[in-house]
């Protein structure tokens, strides 16, 4: 999935306005001017579009974790990764929303996707593990769609 699309979809799911999005970035020490925020939320074909790189999306997701759960006692701000994949995005969303396997499976079911516990756990394994499975765009898209149905009813 395109990072800008993920950012737009998450903004919709949680009904964040531009100011809230900027505050989430600020939680990890990233200052995002309003103009840049608007550019990141534009679609590719729109004038003023700015591509959202992996580091920027990672900072947003880390900020979302801090927004939803708070920063652990004595913990430092997380360092953003420069190379994101769908598995890591899914994992960060799971952590931010404090979701267990059953919660994730129920959220996917809202988007009419059935997944077994073993299939789901394979997505969260270490990439070096023999049972690791790469998370495809469709799984991540359906999870975010399920979140939309859960939180917004749309």
């Amino acid at each position: 999935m395109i990072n800008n699309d993920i950012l737009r979809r998450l903004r919709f799911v949680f009904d964040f306005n531009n100011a809230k999005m900027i505050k989430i970035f600020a939680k990890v020490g990233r200052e995002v001017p309003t103009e840049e925020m608007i550019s990141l939320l534009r679609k590719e074909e729109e004038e003023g579009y700015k591509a959202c790189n992996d580091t920027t999306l990672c900072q947003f997701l880390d900020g979302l974790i801090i927004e939803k759960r708070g920063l652990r006692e004595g913990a430092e701000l997380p360092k953003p990764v420069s190379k994101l994949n769908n598995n890591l995005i899914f994992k960060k969303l799971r952590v931010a929303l404090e979701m267990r396997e059953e919660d994730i499976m129920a959220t996917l079911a809202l988007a009419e996707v059935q997944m077994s516990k073993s299939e789901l756990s394979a997505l969260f394994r270490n990439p070096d593990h023999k049972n690791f499975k790469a998370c495809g765009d469709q799984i991540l898209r359906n999870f975010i769609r399920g979140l939309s149905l859960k939180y917004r009813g749309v």
Side-chain angles (χ1 to χ4, degrees):
M1 283 183 72
I2 297 171
N3 291 345
N4 297 67
D5 190 37
I6 294 169
L7 208 55
R8 274 192 307 274
R9 287 172 188 244
L10 292 176
R11 179 180 195 241
F12 175 78
V13 166
F14 299 112
D15 198 20
F16 293 153
N17 59 24
N18 290 345
K20 182 69 173 181
M21 297 283 286
I22 291 168
K23 284 180 185 174
I24 290 173
F25 275 108
K27 300 252 182 214
V28 292
R30 167 92 187 260
E31 285 188 37
V32 178
T34 304
E35 301 78 35
E36 182 181 352
M37 189 75 254
I38 292 168
S39 295
L40 290 170
L41 295 170
R42 291 186 192 275
K43 294 185 178 178
E44 289 179 14
E45 62 275 0
E46 293 182 80
E47 191 177 320
Y49 167 84
K50 179 182 179 187
C52 178
N53 61 32
D54 287 348
T55 302
T56 300
L57 182 59
C58 183
Q59 287 173 318
F60 176 77
L61 293 170
D62 289 340
L64 185 63
I65 291 170
I66 295 169
E67 173 73 20
K68 296 283 187 186
R69 298 184 63 166
L71 192 60
R72 275 192 269 166
E73 186 92 17
E76 293 182 15
L77 290 177
K79 301 281 187 249
V81 297
S82 58
K83 187 76 174 129
L84 266 182
N85 60 35
N86 289 346
N87 296 69
L88 194 52
I89 293 168
F90 201 163
K91 187 174 189 175
K92 286 181 178 288
L93 288 171
R94 182 192 76 181
V95 170
L97 301 172
E98 301 181 66
M99 297 180 98
R100 301 192 184 286
E101 281 182 340
E102 297 80 21
D103 303 324
I104 295 170
M105 290 169 61
T107 301
L108 286 167
L110 290 173
E112 300 176 9
V113 174
Q114 300 301 316
M115 187 176 278
S116 70
K117 284 188 177 189
S118 60
E119 288 174 312
L120 186 59
S121 67
L123 298 174
F124 299 115
R125 294 190 186 281
N126 186 317
D128 298 330
H129 192 280
K130 68 176 185 165
N131 293 329
F132 170 80
K133 180 182 176 200
C135 179
D137 285 350
Q138 199 62 35
I139 293 171
L140 184 59
R141 189 176 290 115
N142 281 314
F143 177 68
I144 295 173
R145 185 169 162 253
L147 289 175
S148 176
L149 291 166
K150 179 178 179 175
Y151 288 97
R152 299 281 306 260
V154 182

